Amino acid sequence: MQAAKEFLIYRKIDEILWFDWDPIGISDVDDARDEYESYVAEIFNLKKASIGREEVAMSLFKIETERMGLSGAFENCLSVADKIISL
């Protein structure tokens, strides 16, 4: 039962990253659906560890700025972190 619940949370995080976070603006491109998959496990592990909103947002922001080379949108990261924390 716990594994099924964790799987659902994992999938929901994937959807949140795709539809709500979407730092490069590609959520309308079906062929790019796996673009953020490599970040799901990292964010899922933060959720499992009950890490707070700011820490989740900062992780997302660091992915945007350090790994993707974007300027980042911290306010959006906070909003996305709220959705993830509430799962």
Side-chain angles (χ1 to χ4, degrees):
M1 184 65 145
Q2 183 66 21
K5 181 179 177 182
E6 287 185 359
F7 177 76
L8 287 175
I9 291 171
Y10 189 94
R11 297 304 311 152
K12 286 180 183 180
I13 290 171
D14 178 58
E15 290 178 6
I16 290 169
L17 295 184
W18 179 249
F19 291 109
D20 300 309
W21 181 50
D22 190 25
I24 57 178
I26 58 166
S27 64
D28 61 342
V29 180
D30 291 337
D31 289 342
R33 181 59 180 95
D34 63 348
E35 182 66 29
Y36 306 132
E37 268 183 13
S38 63
Y39 308 120
V40 176
E42 178 179 344
I43 302 303
F44 174 74
N45 287 331
L46 294 176
K47 166 68 177 157
K48 277 182 59 173
S50 299
I51 299 297
R53 170 187 192 241
E54 290 78 19
E55 291 86 353
V56 172
M58 186 53 69
S59 291
L60 292 168
F61 187 73
K62 284 182 178 181
I63 291 169
E64 289 179 4
T65 58
E66 296 175 10
R67 295 190 207 170
M68 294 180 172
L70 304 171
S71 59
F74 191 70
E75 287 300 318
N76 186 55
C77 292
L78 284 170
S79 176
V80 170
D82 287 338
K83 291 180 180 189
I84 291 167
I85 296 298
S86 72
L87 293 175

